[in-house]
Amino acid sequence: MSRGRNRKTKQLSEEEVFEMEQFASKTGANKKVSADLVSQIKIDIKFKNETQKKLSQSIRVNDVTICSGPAGTGKSIIAIATALKLLHENDNSYDKLILLKSITQLNGETLPPLPGDASEKMLYQNMSFFDSLTKLLSDKLTGDLVNSNKIIFDVIGSYRGRSISNSIIILDESQNISTSNLKTILTRISDNTKIILLGDPEQIDMKNKKESSLATVIKRVQSNPIEGVDTVEFTENDVVRHRLTTYFINLFKEE
């Protein structure tokens, strides 16, 4: 499986989004996956700080976990690792892991249309998920799980009007999702489903930053607590990527 480098997130055209939604609607988890394939998922999570451990525990015990924090804190890989372990431990309960990401162009970037067919465009948009998966699993097992529809890359639009059951959903870059689109995902939850929202409020690429839903939903959940929904917040003290990551986070902070 090839991995992209020096990639940039871009805004898809309406035609490309429609094409990817049509592709996603035809690649649902309709195939039976052998128990042997799922049993090959072997992950030993080594937490680098208490907040990572808290995130993993929250995912395990709650139906919805909303996590925010700066770059380099390990939000995505901890969430994916925990979801894969749950998939392995509860294969009879969870049919699939669904990975979603907002399709938003970086501020100031103007890029040409994505190359390839719908599946190749989906791969391009979700390359960061592939990077995390292949750090945790072999390239071959990652490919087998994807080809067997045990792991599904999808777009938010394909879930309008649907109920999602027996699934674990990770929605990354949720700071770039509008409140209405976030509502679309959160109201899809059905029997035996977990939803994990991840994002960094300091990296909003939406043209109108006020439309970003992440900080809003965290504030509302904390003001209206309910069993089964939890929030986890990382800080700069939790950065583990590199000793310079925190330096550059602070360097580019808006005054």
Side-chain angles (χ1 to χ4, degrees):
M1 181 180 299
S2 61
R3 303 185 209 176
R5 292 291 180 256
N6 299 319
R7 57 191 178 276
K8 298 178 180 179
T9 304
K10 72 177 289 290
Q11 180 71 47
L12 298 182
S13 67
E14 291 184 6
E15 291 78 10
E16 287 176 317
V17 171
F18 177 76
E19 183 182 1
M20 289 174 66
E21 288 180 354
Q22 292 296 105
F23 169 78
S25 68
K26 297 176 182 178
T27 55
N30 295 320
K31 299 178 182 178
K32 292 184 178 179
V33 181
S34 69
D36 178 65
L37 182 60
V38 176
S39 71
Q40 294 177 45
I41 299 175
K42 307 290 185 183
I43 295 175
D44 180 22
I45 305 177
K46 293 180 172 59
F47 303 111
K48 295 184 177 181
N49 53 52
E50 285 300 311
T51 313
Q52 287 189 351
K53 184 177 182 180
K54 181 181 178 182
L55 173 58
S56 184
Q57 290 173 336
S58 176
I59 292 169
R60 283 184 166 275
V61 302
N62 291 288
D63 298 314
V64 177
T65 297
I66 306 167
C67 176
S68 69
T73 51
K75 302 182 297 295
S76 298
I77 198 162
I78 292 297
I80 292 172
T82 304
L84 288 171
K85 283 182 72 70
L86 287 169
L87 205 63
H88 170 73
E89 297 165 359
N90 304 276
D91 184 39
N92 292 328
S93 300
Y94 299 115
D95 293 335
K96 54 191 173 293
L97 169 60
I98 301 172
L99 300 174
L100 303 174
K101 181 176 291 187
S102 65
I103 303 173
T104 305
Q105 182 171 292
L106 295 175
N107 281 327
E109 297 281 1
T110 302
L111 300 177
L114 291 176
D117 59 20
S119 63
E120 290 171 320
K121 290 173 183 175
M122 190 77 76
L123 170 63
Y124 179 95
Q125 286 295 138
N126 291 283
M127 192 59 69
S128 63
F129 280 136
F130 269 102
D131 287 346
S132 294
L133 287 167
T134 52
K135 285 179 182 177
L136 298 165
L137 308 170
S138 68
D139 285 17
K140 183 180 185 305
L141 182 55
T142 298
D144 289 344
L145 289 167
V146 171
N147 291 333
S148 301
N149 292 324
K150 202 67 174 180
I151 297 175
I152 295 176
F153 301 98
D154 220 332
V155 291
I156 295 173
S158 67
Y159 287 92
R160 295 188 185 98
R162 295 170 59 187
S163 295
I164 308 171
S165 58
N166 305 316
S167 304
I168 303 172
I169 302 168
I170 297 178
L171 175 54
D172 204 0
E173 305 289 349
S174 57
Q175 77 276 2
N176 288 322
I177 296 173
S178 68
T179 302
S180 61
N181 283 337
L182 184 58
K183 180 182 177 182
T184 295
I185 292 299
L186 291 175
T187 54
R188 299 309 95 198
I189 191 169
S190 189
D191 296 335
N192 200 40
T193 287
K194 288 182 181 289
I195 296 180
I196 305 152
L197 304 182
L198 307 171
D200 178 0
E202 298 298 321
Q203 294 192 26
I204 300 173
D205 297 312
M206 303 175 73
K207 291 182 179 179
N208 183 355
K209 292 188 176 185
K210 292 182 179 180
E211 293 181 356
S212 175
S213 61
L214 181 60
T216 299
V217 73
I218 289 175
K219 183 178 179 180
R220 291 181 181 178
V221 166
Q222 291 176 342
S223 299
N224 301 276
I226 188 172
E227 184 178 355
V229 181
D230 189 28
T231 61
V232 178
E233 296 183 76
F234 285 78
T235 70
E236 293 166 11
N237 294 329
D238 296 312
V239 171
V240 296
R241 179 175 293 159
H242 191 277
R243 65 181 181 83
L244 292 178
T245 303
T246 302
Y247 167 77
F248 285 114
I249 289 172
N250 290 323
L251 190 70
F252 288 96
K253 270 189 173 178
E254 294 183 6
E255 297 296 332

